[in-house]
């Protein structure tokens, strides 16, 4: 009895090992190997496509950043130069009428005007453009309203007076134009001249 019991495990083990080996061989047959390789290929292809897409996005972002750096590299310098442009304009506007009519003051006036024009052209060459919105629709992205007042000569919501011109560099505002906005034609007062009066 004991001999039979000791022999049973020994006789069962080889059968179990053979069955497992057969199952493993079936599992690792050609079809299973092909399926595994195809899954691995698809995974690698997906990773490659994702990497290529990320690289393309990085390239575009880098190009955009380089273009922005070139376009806006002079922003600080251009902003500092606006004060000089303002001072030249103030110098011209401060000339009294008598001085403007004086022939001896003419060369001075022309010299300041020439300097102002040259400065504006230089700024324009570097992408800086003047914002002079007289008569245009008020745009809070480009203009800063200093006041609103009735004006019969221009429609409501339009720029009636430019207090100080603004400037843009590329698509960015360096300085908004300071403006007065028309509130439209003044309303007629209730007590107009002649109303409620009698003539003798």
């Amino acid at each position: 009895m004991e001999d039979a019991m000791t022999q049973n495990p020994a006789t069962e083990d080889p059968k179990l090992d053979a069955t497992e080996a057969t199952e493993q061989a079936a599992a690792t047959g050609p079809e299973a190997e092909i399926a595994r390789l195809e899954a691995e290929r698809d995974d690698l292809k997906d990773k490659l496509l994702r990497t290529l897409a990320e690289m393309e996005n990085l390239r575009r972002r880098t190009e955009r950043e380089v273009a922005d750096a070139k376009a806006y590299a002079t922003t600080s310098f251009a902003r500092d130069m606006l004060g000089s442009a303002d001072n030249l304009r103030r110098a011209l506007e401060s000339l009294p009428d008598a001085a403007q009519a004086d022939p001896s003051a003419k060369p001075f006036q022309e010299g300041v005007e020439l300097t102002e024009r040259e400065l504006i052209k230089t700024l324009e060459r570097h992408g800086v453009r003047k914002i002079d919105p007289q008569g245009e629709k008020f745009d809070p992205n480009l203009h800063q309203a200093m006041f609103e007042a009735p004006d019969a000569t221009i429609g409501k919501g339009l720029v009636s007076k430019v207090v100080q011109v603004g400037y843009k560099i590329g698509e960015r505002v360096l300085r908004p134009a300071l403006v007065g906005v028309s509130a439209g034609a003044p309303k007629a007062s209730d007590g107009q001249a002649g109303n409620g009066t009698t003539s003798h």
Side-chain angles (χ1 to χ4, degrees), residues 158-189:
L158 300 180
V159 174
S160 58
K161 181 175 178 59
V162 178
V163 179
Q164 184 182 63
V165 295
Y167 289 90
K168 287 175 67 178
I169 182 167
E171 295 305 312
R172 297 180 188 174
V173 176
L174 268 177
R175 184 181 76 191
L178 305 182
V179 301
V181 182
S182 170
K187 294 179 180 177
S189 60

Side-chain angles (χ1 to χ4, degrees), residues 16-97:
L16 289 172
D17 291 343
T19 305
E20 287 175 3
T22 307
E23 287 174 358
Q24 286 176 0
T28 57
E31 293 83 4
E33 185 65 18
I34 290 171
R36 186 186 67 76
L37 291 172
E38 285 178 347
E40 187 177 342
R41 178 203 63 193
D42 293 343
D43 183 52
L44 290 172
K45 184 178 178 182
D46 182 61
K47 287 178 180 176
L48 176 63
L49 291 174
R50 286 175 184 274
T51 302
L52 289 174
E54 286 174 7
M55 291 299 293
E56 181 63 16
N57 289 339
L58 178 62
R59 184 186 65 78
R60 288 179 182 170
R61 189 165 60 247
T62 303
E63 283 180 356
R64 201 163 47 242
E65 288 172 358
V66 168
D68 283 352
K70 286 180 181 176
Y72 302 115
T74 58
T75 297
S76 296
F77 176 74
R79 191 176 285 118
D80 290 341
M81 292 304 295
L82 299 185
S84 299
D86 292 339
N87 289 335
L88 290 170
R89 177 47 38 192
R90 288 189 195 103
L92 290 170
E93 291 173 351
S94 67
L95 281 174
D97 293 338

